[in-house]
């Protein structure tokens, strides 16, 4: 299993992103493009960042009827991204359709990950509003197992849930975890955080890091520190 640090490019415009990426002269970090940037700039931002030599996690969290997700995934596979995701709540049928749409004619495809439950959803709200009566750990585990059954490559989850997912789905099922903070940095709006080193020891394969790198006085130094603490 690969281990890498993925920088969350949470910027409002292409101009801000390029100014940030221009700081990296000696390395090409794996980056995450989310809804804000994708909806603002369109597919062209993906092509441009890819042309600069970065690996890309396109974080659009698809969730619709299977046929629609399959067609959308087919379009995304042509963008040559390395990782995409969807909501496991869309059912095993939807996840299978997504995988089919994502697979290119030559048999290659980006890694496909499932979101189990968003880390912003508390157990209380999940049970009261969504009427899911199971506990949060049982729900995350069950959704991860559904993703495994559908043939997906892994899940996006809290670093606190990575060990549980590995135990339920095996060591080759990837865990991609946001909510990472250095021991000496602010938590911002993340309530449950882990350091890069603890995340690695807890079973994370990829960590997604935003503000501790993007808002650092020296983002390149912060990125290198993150890689050193996580990958060693
Ligand atoms: O700045 P920070 O390190 O908190 O950024 C984390 C990134 O991971 C953001 O892009 C955020 O949207 C994303 N994310 C998250 N929690 C999830 C899923 C995605 O923080 N459960």
């Amino acid at each position: 299993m690969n281990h890498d640090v993925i920088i969350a490019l949470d910027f409002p415009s292409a101009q801000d992103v390029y100014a940030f990426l221009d700081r990296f002269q000696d390395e090409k970090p794996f980056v995450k493009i989310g809804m804000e940037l994708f909806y603002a700039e369109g597919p062209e931002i993906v092509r441009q960042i890819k042309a600069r030599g970065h690996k890309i996690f396109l974080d659009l969290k698809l969730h619709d009827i299977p046929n629609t997700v399959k067609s959308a995934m087919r379009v995304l596979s042509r963008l040559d991204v390395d990782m995409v995701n969807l909501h496991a709540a869309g059912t095993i049928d939807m996840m299978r359709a997504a995988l089919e749409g994502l697979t290119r004619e030559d048999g290659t495809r980006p890694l496909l990950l499932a979101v189990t439950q968003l880390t912003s959803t508390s157990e209380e709200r999940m049970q009261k509003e969504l009427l899911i009566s199971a506990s949060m750990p049982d729900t995350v585990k069950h959704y991860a197992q559904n993703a495994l059954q559908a043939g997906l490559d892994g899940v996006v989850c809290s670093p606190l849930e990575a060990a549980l997912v590995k135990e339920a789905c095996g060591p080759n099922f990837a865990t991609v975890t946001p909510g990472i903070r250095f021991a000496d940095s602010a938590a911002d709006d993340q309530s449950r955080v882990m350091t890069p080193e603890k995340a690695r020891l807890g079973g994370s394969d990829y960590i997604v890091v935003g503000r501790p790198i993007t808002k650092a006085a020296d983002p390149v130094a912060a990125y290198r520190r993150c890689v050193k603490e996580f990958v060693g």
Side-chain angles (χ1 to χ4, degrees):
M1 181 67 64
N2 289 332
H3 288 88
D4 211 346
V5 173
I6 303 176
I7 303 179
L9 296 179
D10 292 324
F11 295 102
S13 72
Q15 205 183 352
D16 293 316
V17 170
Y18 298 145
F20 174 76
L21 292 178
D22 283 345
R23 292 168 170 268
F24 292 84
Q25 295 297 323
D26 300 327
E27 54 255 290
K28 294 284 179 194
F30 201 140
V31 297
K32 179 172 90 69
I33 297 176
M35 292 184 199
E36 182 187 14
L37 190 59
F38 190 79
Y39 293 151
E41 302 290 345
E44 192 52 29
I45 187 81
V46 175
R47 295 189 194 99
Q48 291 293 333
I49 294 176
K50 195 75 203 174
R52 284 171 168 244
H54 297 272
K55 282 190 170 178
I56 297 176
F57 170 19
L58 191 54
D59 178 19
L60 298 181
K61 300 187 182 73
L62 276 67
H63 187 176
D64 208 317
I65 60 171
N67 191 56
T68 300
V69 170
K70 180 177 163 181
S71 311
M73 286 293 185
R74 182 161 294 137
V75 177
L76 297 186
S77 77
R78 289 188 210 120
L79 281 178
D80 198 23
V81 293
D82 300 278
M83 208 182 254
V84 293
N85 61 357
L86 46 65
H87 276 283
T91 75
I92 292 174
D93 274 354
M94 187 201 80
M95 291 191 268
R96 286 200 174 122
L99 209 54
E100 222 183 298
L102 205 56
T103 306
R104 305 180 187 103
E105 276 183 11
D106 64 1
T108 64
R109 62 169 175 80
L111 288 179
L112 181 57
L113 307 166
V115 174
T116 54
Q117 281 292 326
L118 293 169
T119 49
S120 51
T121 307
S122 67
E123 185 174 80
E124 190 191 0
R125 276 177 187 268
M126 181 185 78
Q127 293 176 342
K128 285 198 178 145
E129 288 181 24
L130 308 182
L131 294 184
I132 296 172
S133 53
S135 69
M136 183 60 83
D138 281 353
T139 307
V140 167
K141 186 172 147 189
H142 184 64
Y143 280 29
Q145 286 170 326
N146 284 353
L148 177 69
Q149 199 183 324
L152 269 64
D153 303 293
V155 289
V156 183
C157 64
S158 155
L160 294 127
E161 292 157 356
L164 173 84
V165 169
K166 289 283 185 188
E167 202 185 293
C169 301
N172 296 327
F173 194 66
T175 50
V176 179
T177 64
I180 301 296
R181 289 295 178 270
F182 293 120
D184 53 4
S185 66
D188 304 307
D189 59 347
Q190 298 280 16
S191 51
R192 300 188 304 151
V193 297
M194 231 188 227
T195 63
E197 191 186 5
K198 286 204 175 124
R200 172 67 191 270
L201 295 172
S204 297
D205 297 309
Y206 296 86
I207 52 173
V208 175
V209 187
R211 286 160 290 182
I213 294 175
T214 57
K215 303 273 188 226
D218 184 344
V220 177
Y223 171 72
R224 287 182 182 154
R225 175 181 174 192
C226 211
V227 171
K228 191 154 176 259
E229 287 188 18
F230 184 62
V231 186

